[in-house]
Amino acid sequence: MQNPLAALAGRLRGTRKTDDYTDRPMLDVAHEIRENPRTIECRDGRALGYADCGDPAGDPLVVFHGFPNSRVFGALLDQAGRERGLRIIAPERPGLGVSDPLPNRTVADWPADVADLAAALDLDSFPVLGVSGGGPYAAACAADLSNVEHAAIVCGLAPLESVGLGDRLPFLLAEHARPLATLSLCADGRRARKNPEKYLALRAAASAAVDEKRWRGEIGQVLLASGLEATAHHGYGPLTTDLAVPAREWGIDLATIDVPVSLWYGKDDHIVPLSMGVHYTERIPTAESHIYPNQGHLSVVDGNQERILDSLVGS
């Protein structure tokens, strides 16, 4: 059976002319990342997978993907990175993609993995960007790593105390009803593999109106490819763990963050409530909030990508 990502990339390649390497389609970048995995060895011997795209000679920006995603997520920032002279480095969390699992992990475990990645790639200092499910991990690195100089959290998950029971439920089920959550994630993955176009159409229909075209277009296809890669090597158990982690004690103190943190949220986000952004605003002393009344989960990222990156590199 043909790889769904390869099929999607092939169809898109036939509709776009790419004479300049800096303007290559995101799906081509995603396919390249998926087919050529990179790893480093963590201090405990685990493999940590990562993508390395954008400008290979540029200043590093370390990007933390959302849920359910993998290092392929980095393809979304490839072109903007090249345009700004940024090297986009997108590690994938334990058990996702080619990263080895880490049982019983918490948010506070992540900075050590990022420190190992920075040492392996000779990164001195760098900003971090956490998107959606990557938000907690950007906050953790801003709190615990001395070489993180700036952070951005975009439509990022916050501690669950910031939302009501209905919004907490998926995370609580993953933590306390693991078999049920794994079964649900597995069924969702089967639907995505069986009929990618229909799956993306369903995601579009459930999203904010401003996000519908993005789910149906190239961004949605890259996110689909990223999600398929997340479970391709270690199955759905680690994906359940990734969903459960926000329901555990995070082990970080947001009040200790002393580097600039920019927050980017859309009021029309159907996935991450604005109250999570408010939670960060009230608890991170250095937080600067950007709230967009007519943007949703994808549009707040896509519509502000240049501004987000420029804020991280001081432009």
Side-chain angles (χ1 to χ4, degrees), residues 145-156:
L145 292 183
S146 60
N147 48 356
V148 169
E149 56 191 18
H150 199 149
I153 298 173
V154 185
C155 57

Side-chain angles (χ1 to χ4, degrees), residues 34 68-70 92 95-97 225-235 238-239:
R34 191 173 185 187
N69 278 279
S70 65
E92 50 198 1
L96 306 182
S226 183
L228 292 174
E229 176 63 11
T231 58
H233 303 273
H234 301 291
L239 192 63

Side-chain angles (χ1 to χ4, degrees), residues 107-121:
V107 171
D109 291 319
W110 181 242
D113 285 0
V114 176
D116 290 342
L117 178 68
L121 300 183

